Every structure is written in structure tokens, then in C-alpha cells.
Amino acid sequence: MHPVEAFGWAARDTSGFLSPFNFFRRATGDKDVKLKVLYCGICHSDIHQLKNEWGSSLYPLVPGHEVVGEVTEVGSKVEKFTIGEKVAVGGYCGSCRSCEDCMSNLENYCSKGIATYNAIYNDGTPTYGGYSDMIVIDEHFVFHVPENLPLAAAAPLLCAGITMYSPLRYFGLDKPGLHIGVVGLGGLGHVGVKFAKAMGLKVTVISTSQRKQNEALERLGADSFLVSTDHDQLQAAIGTMDGILDTVSADHPLDPLIGLLKSHGKLIFLGAPDKPVELPIFPLLMGRKLVAGSGIGGMKETQEMLDFAAEHNITADVEVIPMDYVNTALERLAKGDVKYRFVIDVGKTLRAE
């Protein structure tokens, strides 16, 4: 048992219902940073984990991997952080630090990577996330939060932000003047539009819902909007896009999206469908098109993303909620009833019992 008392909200079973939970964190080690959690974003993946929809949930389960807080203690060998500094924690709290991926600053793809919650740490204890009052974590997995980023609105960047930023960079879709599509205008998609526009890209939002058109064009600054079920609109846009970021987890046809790509275009999956998707091969052959996936980003790139966001005033659109509203928020999120991310005001509303 670890010696430091902690408090948060946890699910005890596959109902996913969260309630107050007393537990323990490890003492601050030589390379550890201890932080008071101020805000924690709610990610759609939290729902999957809470209800064991991916078959790997460990109960009791304290979710939260979009964490922003303040440093309250540092280990004797910590070099990058000081007490009182505003910092952030994302999807990972550990990795092997020696494999090819880790040595390439891709800790998120390490086969021994340790998730910030719902995983087993090196010492054999479960990891608990940011729906809690404090976290102790190796400084390698902590990020500086630039001073001009609002803390609550910055929290979702730790997941949604890096999920959209990383593929734009890696797949070379960050060159001014390129044309990209963003499928789905939700928690991921709305941030993706902001990053893409800041990079100087032409952006088309692709959605099943016509009602999102004004939001995409007028408020988020997209250049055009396609209704994915409108055959005429799709036909008019065939072969016009250099890349497409697909954020949708629900089942949807891929053939129309592949058709929108230019030769050598790239369709990149960022959502996580529950079932295998049907992928037509012939349209890929006719244009040497690429289908790929991408998952968050490494530590170096995540810090780069935060710095870029600060430079271009990019934040997520958030609804800040108290801790005791979290179960209602999760129900609303499952229905898509949020613009566009919930963020829990942990610092002001989490009360120990």
C-alpha cells in the first residue's frame, strides 16, 4: 500500500457509475512531480473504460487523462519543474524509456507503455487518473502549461488536441495551402479545425448533420462543409483533398471518403470503432491512396502542441462542471449533448468525504 492518502471519484463495476473513493498514491520519488489537480477533461474513451466496453477495465477505476494542475512537491532529482508551476498530464504516466519508439520520442507507441489510469504501474499497483485531488508522476510525463492558455480550456488538448495535431505533422498535412477534410465536428473535430486553420490549411468539415454547417463555417472558421449523405455534394468534391482526419467511432461508409482524396491522399483514422470496418481496396489502388491510424502523441510532440496552441490561442470549447455533476455529464456525452468537451473543476468542487 502506498503511504499518501488521496481522494477521487471511481466506478466500482461495469455500470460505470462514479462515486467518492478514498485511495492512496505513492510518495514523491526522486524524479517525481506531485501536483494538485485543478481541472480534468472528460474524454469519450472514459465511457468505454468505465463500462468495460474494451474488455480491459480494472475496478475500482478512477478515470481522467486530460489533467491540468499545480506542482506542490518535486523530487530531489527533478530538473524541469518547480513548486507552484502550472502543469499538465496526458494519456501516459510511464513507458520502458529504452525501446525504439521511446528513443524516438514516441512513448505513446511503447509496447510497455503505462496509461495514466486503468493500468498497472511498475510497482504492481493500479494507476488512477485525474478525477482525483492529486497525482504523483515521473517528470518525463509532465508538461509545462504556457501562461497564456486558460487552464480549463487547455485540459482537453492533452487528448483531443494532440490526437489531431500529431497526424497533421507526421503525415505532412501541415503545409500551408493543403486541403484537408475533418470528419465529425465533435470533441476531436472542432479542435482539429482550429489546428488546421492555424497551420494555413484549407479545411472542409464533413458531417452527417446539416445543422452543424453554420457552427463549422462561421464560428470555427472552416472553409467549406459537406453533408456526407448528400450524393451531389460528395460528387462535386471528388479528388479535391490531400488528407482526411476521420474522428468518427460509429460505423460509417469509407468509400465516399476515399473518393474525396486526391491521388496519394491519406485517410487517417482517429476514432476507435467497436467493430471492424469494411475497407474497399480498389479505390485505394486507383490513386495510390493511404489509409492509416494515429493515437495521441509522444511527450516531446505533446509539449510542442501545447506551445503551438498557446502561440495561436487555440483551446477547446468547454463546459466546466462540478465534480458531483460527472455522472450526468457522462450521460450527456454519450448522447453527444455537449459543445464540445466537459471539463471538471476538480480544484474547487472535489470534496473529501
Side-chain angles (χ1 to χ4, degrees):
M1 183 179 292
H2 289 315
V4 181
E5 293 186 1
F7 178 73
W9 280 44
R12 273 61 168 199
D13 54 43
T14 57
S15 71
F17 185 82
L18 290 158
S19 58
F21 176 58
N22 292 286
F23 62 103
F24 294 89
R25 299 279 193 190
R26 70 175 183 265
T28 306
D30 289 344
K31 296 289 288 180
D32 284 340
V33 171
K34 180 180 178 182
L35 61 108
K36 174 186 177 181
V37 177
L38 299 177
Y39 296 98
C40 186
I42 298 179
C43 178
H44 203 282
S45 64
D46 293 348
I47 297 175
H48 296 295
Q49 300 277 30
L50 285 166
K51 297 189 175 185
N52 196 30
E53 291 175 349
W54 291 340
S56 60
S57 297
L58 306 170
Y59 298 101
L61 190 153
V62 179
H65 60 206
E66 301 177 355
V67 185
V68 174
E70 180 177 323
V71 177
T72 58
E73 185 179 7
V74 295
S76 61
K77 296 182 180 179
V78 168
E79 300 176 350
K80 297 190 295 182
F81 301 95
T82 57
I83 292 174
E85 186 175 357
K86 299 301 188 295
V87 296
V89 174
Y92 283 86
C93 65
S95 69
C96 78
R97 309 283 293 277
S98 60
C99 69
E100 183 176 350
D101 283 328
C102 285
M103 298 305 289
S104 301
N105 298 307
L106 294 169
E107 299 91 341
N108 51 310
Y109 297 131
C110 175
S111 63
K112 298 180 181 178
I114 303 171
T116 299
Y117 77 87
N118 194 41
I120 300 298
Y121 199 66
N122 296 325
D123 59 9
T125 61
T127 59
Y128 296 120
Y131 294 23
S132 60
D133 59 353
M134 49 84 75
I135 286 180
V136 179
I137 183 171
D138 186 292
E139 72 166 334
H140 183 75
F141 298 91
V142 181
F143 308 105
H144 297 276
V145 177
E147 289 186 4
N148 66 312
L149 277 182
L151 298 183
L157 298 181
L158 278 300
C159 181
I162 187 61
T163 295
M164 303 305 291
Y165 180 91
S166 183
L168 289 171
R169 293 297 196 203
Y170 178 79
F171 290 101
L173 296 173
D174 55 352
K175 310 298 187 293
L178 292 182
H179 182 189
I180 70 152
V182 175
V183 184
L185 193 64
L188 292 177
H190 90 286
V191 174
V193 172
K194 293 182 181 185
F195 275 111
K197 290 303 297 179
M199 293 174 183
L201 308 180
K202 178 182 178 181
V203 180
T204 296
V205 170
I206 304 167
S207 175
T208 58
S209 176
Q210 182 76 51
R211 62 184 173 82
K212 293 187 177 182
Q213 180 170 343
N214 286 341
E215 180 83 1
L217 300 179
E218 302 300 327
R219 208 176 66 77
L220 295 175
D223 298 281
S224 56
F225 186 90
L226 287 179
V227 178
S228 58
T229 54
D230 188 314
H231 178 75
D232 291 339
Q233 288 188 25
L234 293 176
Q235 283 295 114
I238 282 178
T240 62
M241 299 181 190
D242 299 284
I244 295 175
L245 302 182
D246 189 341
T247 72
V248 176
S249 296
D251 185 40
H252 59 289
L254 303 183
D255 197 15
L257 298 178
I258 295 170
L260 296 175
L261 294 171
K262 298 176 182 178
S263 294
H264 318 293
K266 299 156 186 171
L267 172 60
I268 303 155
F269 287 104
L270 306 174
D274 293 332
K275 299 177 181 178
V277 299
E278 183 176 327
L279 179 63
I281 300 301
F282 193 75
L284 300 178
L285 305 180
M286 305 310 292
R288 196 155 58 185
K289 299 174 183 180
L290 175 71
V291 176
S294 183
I296 60 170
M299 304 308 110
K300 180 179 179 181
E301 188 174 49
T302 301
Q303 185 64 63
E304 176 189 300
M305 177 275 302
L306 288 170
D307 295 340
F308 183 91
E311 179 183 352
H312 295 276
N313 296 311
I314 296 172
T315 56
D317 292 7
V318 302
E319 180 178 333
V320 179
I321 62 167
M323 189 73 238
D324 61 9
Y325 187 77
V326 66
N327 288 301
T328 301
L330 287 164
E331 292 176 1
R332 286 179 54 193
L333 177 59
K335 299 173 184 176
D337 178 23
V338 59
K339 281 188 176 181
Y340 283 97
R341 303 287 278 208
F342 285 113
V343 174
I344 307 167
D345 186 343
V346 177
K348 292 181 180 177
T349 67
L350 177 64
R351 297 289 179 264
E353 296 187 0

PDB file of all heavy atoms in Angstrom, residues 208 228 246 248-254 269 272-279:
ATOM      1  N   THR A 208     -22.646  14.291 -40.947  1.00  0.00           N
ATOM      2  CA  THR A 208     -23.974  13.799 -41.339  1.00  0.00           C
ATOM      3  C   THR A 208     -25.047  14.837 -41.069  1.00  0.00           C
ATOM      4  O   THR A 208     -26.166  14.702 -41.539  1.00  0.00           O
ATOM      5  CB  THR A 208     -24.327  12.517 -40.558  1.00  0.00           C
ATOM      6  OG1 THR A 208     -24.287  12.819 -39.147  1.00  0.00           O
ATOM      7  CG2 THR A 208     -23.361  11.388 -40.866  1.00  0.00           C
ATOM      8  N   SER A 228     -22.277  14.363 -45.497  1.00  0.00           N
ATOM      9  CA  SER A 228     -21.741  13.097 -46.003  1.00  0.00           C
ATOM     10  C   SER A 228     -22.798  12.192 -46.630  1.00  0.00           C
ATOM     11  O   SER A 228     -22.461  11.216 -47.307  1.00  0.00           O
ATOM     12  CB  SER A 228     -21.027  12.338 -44.876  1.00  0.00           C
ATOM     13  OG  SER A 228     -21.916  12.090 -43.800  1.00  0.00           O
ATOM     14  N   ASP A 246     -10.398  11.387 -39.826  1.00  0.00           N
ATOM     15  CA  ASP A 246     -11.694  10.791 -39.523  1.00  0.00           C
ATOM     16  C   ASP A 246     -11.792  10.558 -38.023  1.00  0.00           C
ATOM     17  O   ASP A 246     -11.144   9.663 -37.476  1.00  0.00           O
ATOM     18  CB  ASP A 246     -11.841   9.472 -40.294  1.00  0.00           C
ATOM     19  CG  ASP A 246     -13.252   8.902 -40.213  1.00  0.00           C
ATOM     20  OD1 ASP A 246     -14.005   9.298 -39.305  1.00  0.00           O
ATOM     21  OD2 ASP A 246     -13.594   8.044 -41.047  1.00  0.00           O
ATOM     22  N   VAL A 248     -14.660   9.853 -36.349  1.00  0.00           N
ATOM     23  CA  VAL A 248     -15.915   9.186 -36.011  1.00  0.00           C
ATOM     24  C   VAL A 248     -15.692   7.731 -35.593  1.00  0.00           C
ATOM     25  O   VAL A 248     -15.041   6.974 -36.319  1.00  0.00           O
ATOM     26  CB  VAL A 248     -16.895   9.264 -37.198  1.00  0.00           C
ATOM     27  CG1 VAL A 248     -18.170   8.482 -36.899  1.00  0.00           C
ATOM     28  CG2 VAL A 248     -17.220  10.717 -37.522  1.00  0.00           C
ATOM     29  N   SER A 249     -16.237   7.357 -34.457  1.00  0.00           N
ATOM     30  CA  SER A 249     -16.133   5.972 -33.983  1.00  0.00           C
ATOM     31  C   SER A 249     -17.297   5.111 -34.455  1.00  0.00           C
ATOM     32  O   SER A 249     -17.172   3.888 -34.541  1.00  0.00           O
ATOM     33  CB  SER A 249     -16.069   5.944 -32.451  1.00  0.00           C
ATOM     34  OG  SER A 249     -14.897   6.584 -31.982  1.00  0.00           O
ATOM     35  N   ALA A 250     -18.437   5.729 -34.740  1.00  0.00           N
ATOM     36  CA  ALA A 250     -19.601   4.971 -35.207  1.00  0.00           C
ATOM     37  C   ALA A 250     -19.353   4.415 -36.607  1.00  0.00           C
ATOM     38  O   ALA A 250     -18.527   4.927 -37.367  1.00  0.00           O
ATOM     39  CB  ALA A 250     -20.833   5.885 -35.214  1.00  0.00           C
ATOM     40  N   ASP A 251     -20.076   3.359 -36.944  1.00  0.00           N
ATOM     41  CA  ASP A 251     -19.942   2.742 -38.261  1.00  0.00           C
ATOM     42  C   ASP A 251     -20.359   3.737 -39.344  1.00  0.00           C
ATOM     43  O   ASP A 251     -21.405   4.379 -39.247  1.00  0.00           O
ATOM     44  CB  ASP A 251     -20.812   1.487 -38.327  1.00  0.00           C
ATOM     45  CG  ASP A 251     -20.638   0.731 -39.630  1.00  0.00           C
ATOM     46  OD1 ASP A 251     -19.496   0.625 -40.102  1.00  0.00           O
ATOM     47  OD2 ASP A 251     -21.654   0.259 -40.191  1.00  0.00           O
ATOM     48  N   HIS A 252     -19.542   3.869 -40.372  1.00  0.00           N
ATOM     49  CA  HIS A 252     -19.867   4.758 -41.487  1.00  0.00           C
ATOM     50  C   HIS A 252     -19.111   4.309 -42.729  1.00  0.00           C
ATOM     51  O   HIS A 252     -18.023   3.733 -42.629  1.00  0.00           O
ATOM     52  CB  HIS A 252     -19.539   6.211 -41.139  1.00  0.00           C
ATOM     53  CG  HIS A 252     -18.097   6.461 -40.800  1.00  0.00           C
ATOM     54  ND1 HIS A 252     -17.515   6.009 -39.627  1.00  0.00           N
ATOM     55  CD2 HIS A 252     -17.109   7.112 -41.461  1.00  0.00           C
ATOM     56  CE1 HIS A 252     -16.244   6.373 -39.591  1.00  0.00           C
ATOM     57  NE2 HIS A 252     -15.969   7.043 -40.698  1.00  0.00           N
ATOM     58  N   PRO A 253     -19.666   4.542 -43.914  1.00  0.00           N
ATOM     59  CA  PRO A 253     -19.032   4.061 -45.148  1.00  0.00           C
ATOM     60  C   PRO A 253     -17.743   4.821 -45.447  1.00  0.00           C
ATOM     61  O   PRO A 253     -17.678   6.046 -45.286  1.00  0.00           O
ATOM     62  CB  PRO A 253     -20.097   4.324 -46.213  1.00  0.00           C
ATOM     63  CG  PRO A 253     -20.965   5.400 -45.650  1.00  0.00           C
ATOM     64  CD  PRO A 253     -20.960   5.202 -44.171  1.00  0.00           C
ATOM     65  N   LEU A 254     -16.728   4.091 -45.902  1.00  0.00           N
ATOM     66  CA  LEU A 254     -15.433   4.693 -46.183  1.00  0.00           C
ATOM     67  C   LEU A 254     -15.234   5.020 -47.654  1.00  0.00           C
ATOM     68  O   LEU A 254     -14.429   5.894 -48.007  1.00  0.00           O
ATOM     69  CB  LEU A 254     -14.315   3.755 -45.711  1.00  0.00           C
ATOM     70  CG  LEU A 254     -14.350   3.367 -44.238  1.00  0.00           C
ATOM     71  CD1 LEU A 254     -13.153   2.493 -43.898  1.00  0.00           C
ATOM     72  CD2 LEU A 254     -14.377   4.605 -43.350  1.00  0.00           C
ATOM     73  N   PHE A 269      -7.471   7.436 -39.545  1.00  0.00           N
ATOM     74  CA  PHE A 269      -8.467   7.132 -38.525  1.00  0.00           C
ATOM     75  C   PHE A 269      -7.986   7.583 -37.150  1.00  0.00           C
ATOM     76  O   PHE A 269      -6.887   7.243 -36.718  1.00  0.00           O
ATOM     77  CB  PHE A 269      -8.752   5.630 -38.480  1.00  0.00           C
ATOM     78  CG  PHE A 269      -9.556   5.127 -39.637  1.00  0.00           C
ATOM     79  CD1 PHE A 269      -8.942   4.421 -40.672  1.00  0.00           C
ATOM     80  CD2 PHE A 269     -10.915   5.362 -39.721  1.00  0.00           C
ATOM     81  CE1 PHE A 269      -9.684   3.967 -41.745  1.00  0.00           C
ATOM     82  CE2 PHE A 269     -11.661   4.907 -40.789  1.00  0.00           C
ATOM     83  CZ  PHE A 269     -11.038   4.205 -41.808  1.00  0.00           C
ATOM     84  N   ALA A 272     -12.184   5.212 -32.631  1.00  0.00           N
ATOM     85  CA  ALA A 272     -11.948   3.804 -32.309  1.00  0.00           C
ATOM     86  C   ALA A 272     -13.254   3.024 -32.398  1.00  0.00           C
ATOM     87  O   ALA A 272     -13.945   2.836 -31.392  1.00  0.00           O
ATOM     88  CB  ALA A 272     -11.349   3.665 -30.911  1.00  0.00           C
ATOM     89  N   PRO A 273     -13.634   2.565 -33.597  1.00  0.00           N
ATOM     90  CA  PRO A 273     -14.874   1.794 -33.750  1.00  0.00           C
ATOM     91  C   PRO A 273     -14.855   0.512 -32.926  1.00  0.00           C
ATOM     92  O   PRO A 273     -13.799  -0.109 -32.735  1.00  0.00           O
ATOM     93  CB  PRO A 273     -14.910   1.475 -35.252  1.00  0.00           C
ATOM     94  CG  PRO A 273     -14.016   2.497 -35.888  1.00  0.00           C
ATOM     95  CD  PRO A 273     -12.943   2.781 -34.874  1.00  0.00           C
ATOM     96  N   ASP A 274     -16.020   0.128 -32.427  1.00  0.00           N
ATOM     97  CA  ASP A 274     -16.118  -1.096 -31.627  1.00  0.00           C
ATOM     98  C   ASP A 274     -15.958  -2.350 -32.482  1.00  0.00           C
ATOM     99  O   ASP A 274     -15.524  -3.389 -31.995  1.00  0.00           O
ATOM    100  CB  ASP A 274     -17.470  -1.151 -30.907  1.00  0.00           C
ATOM    101  CG  ASP A 274     -17.593  -0.064 -29.848  1.00  0.00           C
ATOM    102  OD1 ASP A 274     -16.547   0.357 -29.310  1.00  0.00           O
ATOM    103  OD2 ASP A 274     -18.727   0.359 -29.566  1.00  0.00           O
ATOM    104  N   LYS A 275     -16.325  -2.246 -33.775  1.00  0.00           N
ATOM    105  CA  LYS A 275     -16.282  -3.407 -34.663  1.00  0.00           C
ATOM    106  C   LYS A 275     -15.375  -3.116 -35.852  1.00  0.00           C
ATOM    107  O   LYS A 275     -15.153  -1.959 -36.211  1.00  0.00           O
ATOM    108  CB  LYS A 275     -17.696  -3.741 -35.148  1.00  0.00           C
ATOM    109  CG  LYS A 275     -18.657  -4.093 -34.029  1.00  0.00           C
ATOM    110  CD  LYS A 275     -20.064  -4.350 -34.572  1.00  0.00           C
ATOM    111  CE  LYS A 275     -21.034  -4.674 -33.448  1.00  0.00           C
ATOM    112  NZ  LYS A 275     -22.417  -4.883 -33.961  1.00  0.00           N
ATOM    113  N   PRO A 276     -14.857  -4.158 -36.506  1.00  0.00           N
ATOM    114  CA  PRO A 276     -14.014  -3.957 -37.690  1.00  0.00           C
ATOM    115  C   PRO A 276     -14.776  -3.198 -38.777  1.00  0.00           C
ATOM    116  O   PRO A 276     -15.982  -3.382 -38.955  1.00  0.00           O
ATOM    117  CB  PRO A 276     -13.689  -5.384 -38.142  1.00  0.00           C
ATOM    118  CG  PRO A 276     -13.846  -6.227 -36.915  1.00  0.00           C
ATOM    119  CD  PRO A 276     -14.955  -5.585 -36.132  1.00  0.00           C
ATOM    120  N   VAL A 277     -14.050  -2.353 -39.500  1.00  0.00           N
ATOM    121  CA  VAL A 277     -14.673  -1.578 -40.566  1.00  0.00           C
ATOM    122  C   VAL A 277     -14.471  -2.290 -41.911  1.00  0.00           C
ATOM    123  O   VAL A 277     -13.554  -3.090 -42.078  1.00  0.00           O
ATOM    124  CB  VAL A 277     -14.084  -0.161 -40.647  1.00  0.00           C
ATOM    125  CG1 VAL A 277     -14.334   0.590 -39.358  1.00  0.00           C
ATOM    126  CG2 VAL A 277     -12.589  -0.212 -40.958  1.00  0.00           C
ATOM    127  N   GLU A 278     -15.365  -1.995 -42.849  1.00  0.00           N
ATOM    128  CA  GLU A 278     -15.252  -2.549 -44.197  1.00  0.00           C
ATOM    129  C   GLU A 278     -14.464  -1.572 -45.059  1.00  0.00           C
ATOM    130  O   GLU A 278     -14.864  -0.418 -45.234  1.00  0.00           O
ATOM    131  CB  GLU A 278     -16.647  -2.772 -44.785  1.00  0.00           C
ATOM    132  CG  GLU A 278     -16.626  -3.425 -46.158  1.00  0.00           C
ATOM    133  CD  GLU A 278     -18.019  -3.729 -46.668  1.00  0.00           C
ATOM    134  OE1 GLU A 278     -18.899  -4.037 -45.846  1.00  0.00           O
ATOM    135  OE2 GLU A 278     -18.216  -3.646 -47.895  1.00  0.00           O
ATOM    136  N   LEU A 279     -13.329  -2.037 -45.570  1.00  0.00           N
ATOM    137  CA  LEU A 279     -12.429  -1.169 -46.319  1.00  0.00           C
ATOM    138  C   LEU A 279     -12.359  -1.595 -47.784  1.00  0.00           C
ATOM    139  O   LEU A 279     -11.817  -2.656 -48.102  1.00  0.00           O
ATOM    140  CB  LEU A 279     -11.023  -1.208 -45.703  1.00  0.00           C
ATOM    141  CG  LEU A 279      -9.952  -0.369 -46.398  1.00  0.00           C
ATOM    142  CD1 LEU A 279     -10.311   1.114 -46.340  1.00  0.00           C
ATOM    143  CD2 LEU A 279      -8.588  -0.618 -45.767  1.00  0.00           C
TER     144      LEU A 279
END
